[in-house]
Amino acid sequence: MKYKRPRGTQDLFGIQMERWRKVERLLSGSAQRYGYSEIRTPIFEMSELFIRAVGEGSDIVSKEMYLFQDKKGRNLALRPENTAPVMRAFIENALTRRGGLSRFYYLGPMFRYDRPQAGRYRQFHQFGAEAIGSSHPAVDAEIIDLSLHVFRILGFQGIEVRLNSVGCPRCRPGFTERLKDTLQHYREELCGNCEGRIEVNPLRIFDCKDCQEIKGKLPLITDYLCAECRDHFNALQDILRGMEIDFTLDPLLVRGLDYYTKTAYEIVLPGKGAQNALCGGGRYDGLAQDCGAGFIPAVGFSTGIERLVENIPPSVLEEMGGEKTDVFFIILEEGGYPVALSRARALRSLGLKAEVELSGRSMKKQLKTAVDAKADYAIFIGSDELRRSEATVKNLITNQQDKIPFSNLETYFQNKGEQDLGEIG
Ligand code: HAM
C-alpha cells in the first residue's frame, strides 16, 4: 500500500473505538454534572495566539507546532492545546459580560510535532475543563476535584496529585533572576538544550530528564512567592485537606506552558516513566491580558484521552467491551431482504440494536457472525418463513426457538424488552 497514516497518529475502530466512546461519554457526563458546559473551538487558530499564550521559549511553540499559511498568507497553527483558544473564544464572544464564573469543558484533537513513543502522539485528544472569572482558590480546588473524579470513575488506583505554585509576574522575575545566577555556576554540567535555556526560559530546566542532579542544587520557586501567591497556595491546600483530597507538594513542578500563575498541578501514575503525566493544569490569571483583554482570572486542566484509555485498569476495561447486538437477522432467501431490512428498522425504533446480515453467505457463516456480535437473538428468514410470513426467532443464550409472524415481531420484542432486554422504551 502506497499510503500510510502520518507518524504519531492512530486509526481507531472496532472495540477500541467503542471504548473511546464510552470514555468520552463518561468524561462529558462528569463535567456536566459539575456544571461545566461544552465548548467547541476551531481546530486551527492564528499561530500568534499560541506564540503569545504558551510562550516562545516553550517546547510547544519553539519545536512542536504544525504551522501553515492559508491562501491569503495568514499564519495559522493546528491547535497544540485548547486553553488559549477557549480564552480567545471567551473574550471574542464577549462572554465576560455574563459576570460570575463561566465553566467550560471540551473534548477534541490536539497536534504537537513531538517524538512519538508510548503514550505520546502527534495527533492526540484532550478532555479539559476551564473555569473562567474567579481568583478564588476554591475554583482551583473544584478543578482538581473534577479532574480526579474522572480517574475515580474509571477505576484508576494509586494516582497522585502533584501540586506547586509557580508564582506570578510580581514574584517570578525575582526567582528567575536568582535561578539564572545559580545556573551560571553549573553551566558546564547542564545538557546542551538546558545551556541554551538559561537565558530564554530557565524554568524549563526543571522539566529536563537529563539534568536531574543539578535540580537539587537550584533555588525553589516556593521560597520566592509574594504574599498574595503564598496566601493563595496555603488557602488552596487548606481547602483540599478539607475535601480530603490527597496531594504531594512538588516544588520542582513547573509545567511546559508559560501562561501559568500561582497553582500548577499534575496527576501522575507513578512507575509509568516519562509519560506518567495523565493530566495537567493550573491557574492562568495573566492569559486574558496576554490576549489583549482585561484581567480575567482562570484555572483549568486537560487530560490526554490516549493516556487515559491506555491505562484504564484491565478489570474496568473488560466491562467496557463492545456494545452488544440485540437482534441479528439471518437471511436465507433473496425475498428475505426487504422483510429483514424493514423489520430491523421497526425494532431499532424501539431502541434495539438490530443488524442485518447482507453478505448472502451460508447460514453457518451468518450464524457465526451473529454469535461473534454477541447477539441475544437470531431471526432467520428463509423460504419456509417467507411462505408462512413468520420468522424463526432463536434466543442465542437459551437456544429456545419461537415462530413469530413478521407483523408481531415488534410486540414480541417489546414484551421481551420488559422482561429481559430492559432498555426498550
Ligand atoms: P499539557 O500538560 O501540555 O497541558 O497537556 C495535558 C495532557 O495532555 C497531558 O497530561 C497528557 O495527558 C496529554 N498530552 C500532552 N501531550 C501529549 C502527546 N503528545 N500525546 C499524548 N498525550 C499528550 C495542556 O495542554 C494545558 N492546556 C492544560 C491546561 C488546561 N491548563 C489549564 N487548563
Side-chain angles (χ1 to χ4, degrees):
M1 228 280 274
K2 213 159 114 193
Y3 304 107
K4 290 203 159 130
R5 60 173 192 270
R7 223 164 104 67
T9 64
Q10 279 184 296
D11 298 315
L12 293 172
F13 50 87
I15 182 109
Q16 183 79 341
M17 191 63 239
E18 284 177 26
R19 282 183 184 142
W20 268 67
R21 271 196 175 283
K22 283 194 182 163
V23 169
E24 287 173 353
R25 263 203 305 271
L26 280 171
L27 297 174
S28 30
S30 304
Q32 282 161 10
R33 243 164 274 137
Y34 273 73
Y36 288 69
S37 63
E38 187 170 8
I39 184 164
R40 289 194 193 182
T41 57
I43 277 169
F44 59 92
E45 296 268 355
M46 289 163 67
S47 47
E48 188 62 26
L49 172 68
F50 300 109
I51 297 170
R52 287 285 296 155
V54 179
E56 246 165 321
S58 68
D59 282 354
I60 294 178
V61 168
S62 63
K63 305 192 251 184
E64 297 171 1
M65 283 223 284
Y66 279 89
L67 297 164
F68 63 100
Q69 285 195 333
D70 69 7
K71 291 190 196 309
K72 285 266 165 68
R74 298 180 191 94
N75 291 317
L76 300 167
L78 293 183
R79 61 181 185 192
E81 64 100 51
N82 208 26
T83 304
V86 169
M87 183 54 96
R88 194 262 318 130
F90 185 79
I91 299 165
E92 188 173 342
N93 295 290
L95 300 176
T96 32
R97 280 205 231 111
R98 300 199 298 195
L101 186 66
S102 299
R103 295 176 168 96
F104 299 105
Y105 79 89
Y106 49 82
L107 271 163
M110 310 291 153
F111 306 85
R112 295 185 193 174
Y113 191 80
D114 206 343
R115 199 156 42 84
Q117 52 179 276
R120 200 198 278 162
Y121 300 90
R122 288 184 173 164
Q123 176 176 329
F124 60 99
H125 298 74
Q126 282 185 342
F127 161 71
E130 314 290 346
I132 306 180
S134 168
S135 312
H136 201 288
V139 188
D140 309 37
E142 179 179 274
I143 280 287
I144 295 175
D145 187 46
L146 167 58
S147 55
L148 274 173
H149 177 74
V150 162
F151 294 98
R152 233 178 280 129
I153 55 170
L154 287 170
F156 277 72
Q157 307 267 323
I159 49 164
E160 267 179 43
V161 177
R162 303 242 167 102
L163 184 67
N164 196 19
S165 173
V166 294
C168 70
R170 269 190 309 281
C171 51
R172 200 163 33 211
F175 166 70
T176 312
E177 279 317 303
R178 185 63 211 281
L179 182 63
K180 280 185 190 168
D181 286 349
T182 316
L183 285 169
Q184 296 298 350
H185 298 297
Y186 299 107
R187 193 173 266 282
E188 316 281 272
E189 295 170 46
L190 290 171
C191 74
N193 270 342
C194 285
E195 206 186 332
R197 284 169 173 153
I198 298 183
E199 290 310 321
V200 195
N201 200 343
L203 266 95
R204 287 279 69 71
I205 291 164
F206 288 107
D207 279 340
C208 179
K209 281 149 216 103
D210 300 323
C211 296
Q212 294 292 357
E213 277 199 15
I214 302 163
K215 288 185 203 169
K217 302 171 191 167
L218 300 177
L220 297 176
I221 177 88
T222 35
D223 293 329
Y224 289 78
L225 297 180
C226 61
E228 190 187 310
C229 288
R230 174 141 301 283
D231 287 350
H232 186 94
F233 196 29
N234 288 337
L236 170 59
Q237 292 177 50
D238 286 344
I239 299 170
L240 291 176
R241 283 189 202 102
M243 295 168 75
E244 295 176 7
I245 291 178
D246 291 331
F247 58 89
T248 309
L249 293 179
D250 181 356
L252 300 182
L253 181 82
V254 289
R255 311 264 308 119
L257 306 97
D258 287 357
Y259 49 61
Y260 290 111
T261 52
K262 297 181 176 160
T263 311
Y265 81 100
E266 284 186 352
I267 297 180
V268 298
L269 197 55
K272 267 279 158 191
Q275 306 310 320
N276 69 357
L278 295 173
C279 170
R283 185 162 271 288
Y284 48 95
D285 291 346
L287 180 57
Q289 282 163 318
D290 285 345
C291 295
F295 174 69
I296 308 172
V299 54
F301 76 87
S302 356
T303 179
I305 300 182
E306 286 77 4
R307 288 191 199 171
L308 260 185
V309 174
E310 286 166 19
N311 289 295
I312 291 176
S315 57
V316 180
L317 209 55
E318 224 140 82
E319 286 164 26
M320 301 184 99
E323 199 177 295
K324 68 171 188 52
T325 298
D326 296 310
V327 274
F328 201 100
F329 284 85
I330 291 174
I331 304 162
L332 308 164
E333 271 303 316
E334 204 54 32
Y337 289 114
V339 178
L341 288 167
S342 57
R343 291 297 135 195
R345 185 180 57 204
L347 293 179
R348 286 177 200 128
S349 67
L350 295 177
L352 289 176
K353 181 172 172 191
E355 282 187 68
V356 185
E357 238 297 359
L358 297 175
S359 68
R361 293 182 302 171
S362 70
M363 183 173 86
K364 213 170 137 199
K365 286 199 171 132
Q366 292 192 49
L367 190 56
K368 183 173 181 314
T369 317
V371 171
D372 289 347
K374 298 198 170 58
D376 286 338
Y377 291 89
I379 302 181
F380 296 86
I381 303 186
S383 50
D384 275 2
E385 284 81 3
L386 284 170
R387 200 171 344 102
R388 298 199 186 106
S389 282
E390 58 179 30
T392 305
V393 178
K394 182 174 181 177
N395 182 322
L396 293 178
I397 299 156
T398 62
N399 283 329
Q400 190 199 318
Q401 245 171 244
D402 289 320
K403 297 277 183 197
I404 310 294
F406 292 154
S407 55
N408 282 0
L409 278 170
E410 279 166 75
T411 326
Y412 177 82
F413 281 103
Q414 198 143 30
N415 293 338
K416 283 267 167 227
E418 276 144 27
Q419 289 161 28
D420 52 31
L421 291 171
E423 282 177 16
I424 307 177

